[in-house]
Amino acid sequence: MSPADDRGIGSSSATRWQSERSADDSRAYIERFAELAHAGTDLHGEARFVDVLVPRGARILDAGCGTGRVGLELARRGHRVTAVDLDPVLVEAARSHPELTVHLADLADAGLVLEQRFATWDLRPWHDDADWLVAVARRADDGGVTATP
C-alpha cells in the first residue's frame, strides 16, 4: 500500500491523527478498549445517546468509527450503520464486525452539514481550543444520515 493509500479515500494530505499517531498507537488503542470491556466498563454511552436521537432503524454514519465499538452497539439496537475511519489498523478491527459496513476513507469533502458540535463525549459545549470534536451532521442532499465523528 502506498502512503497515499494509507491516508484513505479523498485525502490529499495527512490529518493530525495520521501525523501524530502510529500503527502501534492504534493497536494500543484497540487493546485499551479490550481491557476496559473485559473489566466490565460501560462502553455504550455514546451509542445510547445517538440511539435516543434518531428514529428506529435509522441509517447511521459512524464517522471516525475507530474499532466500530459505537457503530456495533447501534447496529445491535436495530440501526443500519456505515462506519468510516482513515486509520487502516482501526478499520481492520472494525471490519471484524459483520453487522457494519466499513470503509477506509477521509470524510473531509463528503458534503456533510453540521447540526451540532460538542467538545467532549460528555457533551460539554464546543470551544475553539477543544482537543476533540463530537458532531452530529447530516448529508446535505437528503438529511438522512447522522454522523458521529
Side-chain angles (χ1 to χ4, degrees), residues 100-146:
L100 303 177
T101 301
V102 181
H103 300 279
L104 176 65
D106 183 345
L107 293 174
D109 298 319
L112 299 176
V113 176
L114 183 66
E115 292 289 326
Q116 186 57 264
R117 62 185 176 172
F118 303 98
T120 62
W121 279 111
D122 59 358
L123 308 180
R124 293 180 192 154
W126 172 256
H127 52 90
D128 288 337
D129 60 342
D131 289 328
W132 297 97
L133 167 67
V134 177
V136 177
R138 65 178 169 82
R139 209 166 59 194
D141 60 353
D142 75 359
V145 177
T146 299

Side-chain angles (χ1 to χ4, degrees), residues 57-104:
R59 294 181 305 141
I60 305 289
L61 172 62
D62 186 356
C65 69
T67 62
R69 174 181 53 84
V70 174
L72 179 61
E73 183 61 23
L74 288 166
R76 289 177 178 154
R77 293 168 181 257
H79 302 290
R80 294 172 290 147
V81 179
T82 298
V84 181
D85 205 296
L86 51 74
D87 184 310
V89 174
L90 299 179
V91 164
E92 181 181 343
R95 286 182 173 154
S96 71
H97 307 297
E99 302 90 339
L100 303 177
T101 301
V102 181
H103 300 279
L104 176 65

